[in-house]
Amino acid sequence: MDVLVINGPNLNTLGTREPEIYGFTTLAEIEAGLIAQGAGSGLAVDTFQSNHEGEIIDRLHAARDDGTRFVIINPGAFTHTSVAIRDAFAAVALPFCEVHISNVHARESFRQHSYLSDIAVGVMTGFGTYGYTMAMDFVIHTLQED
Ligand code: DQA
């Protein structure tokens, strides 16, 4: 596949989780939209969600050999804690966009540091679930230039 979309812990509960912050769109709806968006430009999109740090790292390692050309990731709370996911991105050397539904800079101070942002191609934060669409639009644009 061309694009791998990873969602981290608690994002499987989108739709009912703190809707005043994250809205009412479910993860299944987001993933279906991204698959259709990619397909519209001839790109194959795979999706993966896990509440477990090690599973996300294993999926990233697999991405090194499965044809993945770009990763879109919302790491959830692992954004703010995980040196291990950062090291996994460095190990596989795949370009990635970091997405957050909420504006993490407008929230608690512990959300304002990311272990990933400085090695990401770019970060979308605060645009709601539309941030995933914007990230995919960027990825399509980038891969079509290759
Ligand atoms: C989030 C922001 C994180 O701080 C939080 O832990 C999440 C979701 C977002 O999409 O806004 O789980 O990544």
Side-chain angles (χ1 to χ4, degrees), residues 79-132:
T79 307
H80 319 297
T81 63
S82 185
V83 176
I85 291 176
R86 176 194 177 91
D87 285 352
F89 273 112
V92 301
L94 283 169
F96 69 98
C97 287
E98 178 182 338
V99 173
H100 300 287
I101 297 165
S102 63
N103 180 356
V104 289
H105 301 294
R107 299 184 63 191
E108 302 96 324
S109 58
F110 62 81
R111 294 187 203 277
Q112 291 170 30
H113 174 260
S114 165
Y115 278 101
L116 298 176
S117 295
D118 65 304
I119 59 167
V121 175
V123 182
M124 305 287 180
T125 186
F127 299 105
T129 56
Y130 190 61
Y132 291 95

Side-chain angles (χ1 to χ4, degrees), residues 2 10 23 26 29 37 41 46 51 63 67 73-74 76 78 89 91 98-99 101 115 117 120 124 127 131 133 144:
D2 300 301
N10 300 304
T26 66
E29 289 168 340
Q37 191 181 350
S41 296
D46 191 26
N51 296 318
I73 184 167
N74 183 345
F78 290 149
F89 273 112
E98 178 182 338
V99 173
I101 297 165
Y115 278 101
S117 295
M124 305 287 180
F127 299 105
T133 308
Q144 285 180 340

